[in-house]
Amino acid sequence: MHAMHAPALRGASLASSLKASAPRARVSRPVRSTIRADAQVIDGKAIAADVREEVRLAVAAMKEKTGGKVPGLAVVLVGDRKDSETYVRSKKKACEEAGIQSFGTDLPGDATEDEVLAVVQAYNADPDVHGILVQLPMPDHIDEERVLGAIDYEKDVDGFHPLNIGRLSQRGREPLFVPCTPRGCIELLERTGVPIAGKEAVVVGRSNVVGTPAALLLQRRDATVTIVHSKTPNSEEIVRRADIVIAACGRMEMVKGSWIKPGAAVIDVGINAKDDPSKKHGYRLVGDADYEECSKVAGYITPVPGGVGPMTIAILLQNTLEGATRAYGLK
Ligand code: NAP
């Protein structure tokens, strides 16, 4: 049984590592027009590669220091959704490349909730596993909240456990883990050198997975944060005030250039398939912001693909490493 309250210092390494991320310019500047400067494109692929290399080096150092111990990540997949299978495969491959041991359990789509819970409990008890990730969405007959709540919060690499989210939302408290995609958004801003403290940030979307934790992270870094959602009557007007916009509404290209304050940083979390007969599969991926328009007004922008997407897995590896570092008492 794990204690409900971890010692105050437990999350300190996460906090310091988040703050310690050295601002490093990983931006590529497209050809400028003669009339106005286009946004600097934040290269998420390159920044994610940096993070993954840092993790790989830290894992190698851990192995050396502990006489062979490495971090372990367990991924639980229920059902046979093709997109989920692809995500799980790429997570396992990324683990291998970083030297992280990967564990996995694939359950059929008709597995019972008790069966899923039994797998989670087994990984909770396994000392070689430092991170447990249940791939979402799960089939409808399984209570997602119950399963996510059953993950030991000290192994909650996705950061969705109520205790970790609760601590994220409280002043003076430190979560053990922060959700990967929102943490990836912050890393992109920090490593690009975009100032956050004292700035006005607007998050478009309030999901538990992206919008809400992204807003909490920005607030913890002293931005003044507004969240807009589907019931906000004047999103456009509010977004136009923002120095930093996080677009996470799941609506293809909804955030237009006219919504953006000149020079603002636009972090586009969206992944949508847009019909494009010129492409082999008949579509291409676009974000929740209209890249063509926004890139002409913004100061910084993430492309889709190649922006936030690659960061999610990189941060998952970083979270797993931090879980193992705590478990082995190395910090
Ligand atoms: P979600 O659960 O569908 O949440 C969407 C949010 O956007 C909701 O809070 C919704 O408001 C809000 N919204 C919907 N229509 C809106 C409108 N017209 N104006 C303002 N807000 C509106 O989506 P999600 O899981 O947060 O994901 C958001 C996007 O990120 C999606 O495109 C998804 O594919 C992508 N994503 C990418 C990654 C990655 O690794 N890059 C990871 C996760 C998600 P209500 O709360 O009022 O319904």
Side-chain angles (χ1 to χ4, degrees):
M1 195 54 189
H2 291 271
M4 285 303 286
H5 298 285
L9 270 178
R10 292 220 117 160
S13 62
L14 169 60
S16 55
S17 83
L18 282 176
K19 290 205 172 106
S21 307
R24 194 156 3 142
R26 271 295 205 170
V27 292
S28 55
R29 191 183 286 272
V31 178
R32 281 166 180 266
S33 93
T34 49
I35 302 166
R36 67 201 155 201
D38 283 345
Q40 290 188 15
V41 180
I42 300 177
D43 188 344
K45 240 169 128 175
I47 294 175
D50 286 349
V51 173
R52 287 168 69 154
E53 180 60 9
E54 288 162 21
V55 172
R56 194 185 66 77
L57 293 173
V59 169
M62 171 183 278
K63 198 169 174 181
E64 173 99 24
K65 201 167 173 181
T66 59
K69 290 184 195 300
V70 294
L73 174 69
V75 181
V76 181
L77 175 65
V78 187
D80 52 7
R81 279 177 65 119
K82 291 282 164 271
D83 56 345
S84 293
E85 284 173 354
T86 307
Y87 291 137
V88 168
R89 255 198 317 275
S90 45
K91 284 168 186 172
K92 285 182 178 161
K93 184 161 171 274
C95 280
E96 264 166 43
E97 285 169 10
I100 292 175
Q101 194 178 2
S102 89
F103 300 77
T105 302
D106 295 354
L107 293 170
D110 60 358
T112 64
E113 194 171 295
D114 284 346
E115 284 170 329
V116 181
L117 287 170
V119 169
V120 168
Q121 297 300 357
Y123 284 133
N124 279 346
D126 187 338
D128 291 333
V129 171
H130 309 100
I132 303 170
L133 182 155
V134 177
Q135 185 66 42
L136 301 179
M138 276 182 286
D140 288 345
H141 67 278
I142 293 177
D143 181 348
E144 185 178 298
E145 190 178 348
R146 191 154 170 245
V147 172
L148 296 183
I151 295 172
D152 180 349
Y153 78 100
E154 295 186 29
K155 300 189 178 188
D156 171 40
V157 269
D158 253 343
F160 296 151
H161 192 287
L163 209 58
N164 282 319
I165 288 288
R167 286 184 180 185
L168 183 66
S169 68
Q170 289 182 309
R171 303 257 312 139
R173 306 281 185 277
E174 294 297 341
L176 296 184
F177 298 99
V178 171
C180 301
T181 302
R183 185 176 172 188
C185 295
I186 302 296
E187 289 272 340
L188 288 175
L189 291 166
E190 290 186 333
R191 287 179 185 243
T192 304
V194 175
I196 300 176
K199 299 296 175 186
E200 187 142 0
V202 174
V203 180
V204 187
R206 59 176 166 182
S207 73
N208 291 337
V209 187
V210 186
T212 296
L216 291 169
L217 283 170
L218 288 163
Q219 183 172 283
R220 286 172 85 93
R221 278 159 186 71
D222 298 329
T224 302
V225 184
T226 307
I227 297 181
V228 299
H229 48 75
S230 69
K231 307 291 186 295
T232 306
N234 57 339
S235 292
E236 177 175 349
E237 197 180 300
I238 294 169
V239 171
R240 211 175 290 125
R241 295 202 310 250
D243 302 300
I244 296 167
V245 180
I246 308 252
C249 51
R251 299 274 177 273
M252 182 157 63
E253 298 178 324
M254 187 185 86
V255 177
K256 298 292 174 193
S258 60
W259 296 32
I260 303 300
K261 174 166 140 181
V266 177
I267 304 295
D268 190 350
V269 184
I271 306 176
N272 309 283
K274 184 175 186 177
D275 289 342
D276 184 344
S278 74
K279 298 285 173 199
K280 192 170 144 209
H281 296 292
Y283 69 88
R284 66 191 163 94
L285 295 182
V286 299
D288 290 349
D290 185 323
Y291 185 87
E292 278 304 303
E293 291 188 15
C294 293
S295 62
K296 294 190 171 80
V297 188
Y300 299 87
I301 191 164
T302 57
V304 177
V308 175
M311 290 301 286
T312 299
I313 288 186
I315 301 294
L316 174 66
L317 302 178
Q318 203 172 48
N319 279 356
T320 306
L321 169 68
E322 287 170 3
T325 302
R326 276 192 297 268
Y328 293 139
L330 296 176
K331 256 188 210 164

